[in-house]
Each structure stands twice: as structure tokens, then as C-alpha cells.
Amino acid sequence: MQTQKEVRMFIAIDAGNTNIVFSVMDRERILFDSCLRTDRHKTGDEYAVFFRELLHIHNISTGEVEGGIISSVVPSLKKELYDAVYAITGRKSRIVGPGLKNGLKIRIDNPAQLGSDRVAEAVAAVHEYPYPAVIFDMGTANTFSVIGRDGSYAGGMILPGTLISLDALTALTSQLPQIDLAEPQVHLIGTNTVDCMKSGIIYGTAAMVDGVIDRIAEELGDKPAVIATGSLSEQIVPHCRQRIILDRHLLLKGLRIIYLKNQK
């Protein structure tokens, strides 16, 4: 019977609404991770072509891959990604969701409603950081996840993502231009339209994060550890006043833990 010590490399996939992170890891390390644009219209065969090429670029043979684990917040992609991994490796993947062991106590009204991405992040946070803790994930949506004093998932918040807010700002106004979210080269108070928009989005989001953390700490009656992850966290966190740990691989770490928990 196979034991955890015999685990070789496996594929971990995080499928979000905007991007898909494809990674190969072993028991100890993330060997590489790459980002692809999420395309709900691609077939499993099309994703298989991308995944095989990524393995080739990183000099990893498909024969070295023993399995996979998939977290997807896009329901229609679960089967396509599963089929893609199977097509290139001949191995089955585990899909994060009900029925898969994760070791996390989820104390919300309906645990089945908790997104697989937030489950994986919470599993990693409980394993790696002190609690109570707050996980701030900046992606298509901004989410806060709260880990209680006992290490259980206590609940959280979901807000419009920073890019969604920026898109709405430009789409619903007549004179504001489309801009990228590069860090403004100005002070907090901008002196032209573009810099005012960039400053507003970046510093406004940072102030929101600071304020929400204060209110969560007040409700918990304790100061939590705060971990930030997600594609935009590196642009926002430096402008926050709270002490925040950046961990861009938090979700992948959680997928590794869940994968190993479910090894026979």
C-alpha cells in the first residue's frame, strides 16, 4: 500500500473566475506555478495541451506525476480540468469539496456553500499561522475569512473585487478613462484624473482592509494574525497600516495539505 513517504510529484490546480493557477509540487515544495486566463469555453483537451506544454517547459515528465488535486470556483470547469489532467497523466484527480477530507472545522450555516478556494486557504492558514486569524484574498472578489481561537472556520465577508470596482467606475461614468492598476507615482492626494483614480482605488482599498480588520478584531475580542493572498495583494498591502503577512502561495499550500490527507 502506498504511504505518504512514497508521494512523488502531483498537479495542483486553482481555477478562479479570472485566472487558473497550474502547479506541480511534492510533499515539501512547490516546484513551479503558472497562471493561465480562465476560459469557460475551452475543452478538457485544449487545457491538456496547455498543461502538457507547461510540464515540458519545466522538464517534468508526465510519468513522474502521480495524481492531482483541483479547486475550482467555476463549476463548469471541474470536469474539463479533471479530464485534462487525466489525458496527460492517466491519473485521477481529487476535487476539493464535500466528501474530501480537509481537517477543517467549518462553523457556518451551510458548510457546503463555502468555496473550495476559501477552504484550501483556511486549511493552510490553520497549519502555518497562529489563530485567531484573518485571511484576505484579493481576486475577482475580495474575501475575508475568519479563523476563530479554536482553529475553526468562523465565517467571513465577500466584497466586490478591486478590478470589478475599477471597471464599474469607468463603465458607469462619462468622463473617467480606463486605466491600469499600476501603483500611482503620486501622493495620496492626486493632481490629475488618472492619478486620482489610481490613488482612490489603491489607498481606498487599503483603508477598507485596515478598517475591516479593526472591526473583526473588535468582534473577536482579540487581535488576529492577518494573511493576505491573491493576485492584487502585493499592490495593496504595502499601503495598509495593519501588520499583514503576504503569502501568495497560501491556496496551493492548502491544496498540498488536503491532497496528502486523502492519500491512501
Side-chain angles (χ1 to χ4, degrees):
M1 181 179 292
Q2 190 178 49
T3 66
Q4 285 193 357
K5 290 184 178 180
E6 294 169 325
V7 172
R8 296 180 296 168
M9 288 184 258
F10 60 94
I11 289 170
I13 299 175
D14 164 32
N17 288 292
T18 303
N19 296 313
I20 293 173
V21 176
F22 177 87
S23 173
V24 173
M25 59 181 76
D26 59 21
R27 293 185 68 243
E28 304 295 337
R29 300 172 299 150
I30 297 170
L31 303 178
F32 79 85
D33 63 286
S34 296
C35 188
L36 308 170
R37 183 68 63 181
T38 300
D39 187 341
R40 292 166 173 79
H41 303 293
K42 273 189 170 60
T43 66
D45 287 341
E46 289 174 304
Y47 276 115
V49 172
F50 278 106
F51 296 164
R52 184 186 291 274
E53 186 62 25
L54 287 171
L55 293 176
H56 176 72
I57 290 171
H58 292 276
N59 298 313
I60 294 175
S61 165
T62 56
E64 297 177 90
V65 178
E66 67 152 29
I69 185 166
I70 298 168
S71 164
S72 177
V73 298
V74 184
S76 61
L77 283 182
K78 291 179 182 179
K79 181 180 183 303
E80 305 304 333
L81 296 173
Y82 179 97
D83 290 347
V85 175
Y86 190 81
I88 61 175
T89 66
R91 302 287 187 171
K92 296 179 180 180
S93 297
R94 295 172 171 85
I95 298 178
V96 179
L100 200 65
K101 292 185 293 184
N102 57 50
L104 183 67
K105 298 176 183 176
I106 304 174
R107 303 191 188 282
I108 62 175
D109 296 340
N110 185 354
Q113 289 182 341
L114 187 61
S116 59
D117 54 343
R118 300 175 80 181
V119 169
E121 289 169 352
V123 167
V126 169
H127 185 265
E128 195 157 319
Y129 298 103
Y131 36 84
V134 175
I135 304 162
F136 177 51
D137 187 340
M138 296 194 64
T140 306
N142 288 336
T143 64
F144 287 87
S145 294
V146 179
I147 307 299
R149 290 189 188 91
D150 62 350
S152 65
Y153 189 97
M157 300 173 65
I158 302 175
L159 300 82
T162 304
L163 293 182
I164 288 178
S165 299
L166 182 58
D167 288 344
L169 183 64
T170 57
L172 299 176
T173 56
S174 300
Q175 297 187 21
L176 296 181
Q178 290 188 337
I179 61 171
D180 61 43
L181 203 56
E183 183 176 341
Q185 302 300 313
V186 293
H187 295 292
L188 174 67
I189 302 172
T191 55
N192 60 69
T193 298
V194 170
D195 281 349
C196 284
M197 292 174 67
K198 290 181 179 179
S199 176
I201 288 291
I202 290 177
Y203 290 108
T205 303
M208 177 273 292
V209 172
D210 286 335
V212 169
I213 292 169
D214 278 339
R215 293 183 181 221
I216 290 175
E218 183 179 345
E219 185 162 321
L220 290 174
D222 200 351
K223 187 171 182 61
V226 183
I227 307 101
T229 191
S231 56
L232 292 175
S233 58
E234 293 179 5
Q235 290 173 272
I236 300 300
V237 168
H239 302 284
C240 295
R241 293 180 175 176
Q242 300 277 359
R243 183 179 182 276
I244 301 175
I245 303 165
L246 274 169
D247 190 340
R248 64 181 293 264
H249 287 137
L250 185 69
L251 198 153
L252 293 179
K253 292 175 181 177
L255 290 182
R256 178 173 58 208
I257 294 168
I258 296 171
Y259 180 86
L260 294 175
K261 280 183 179 293
N262 289 271
Q263 282 295 97
K264 293 182 180 180

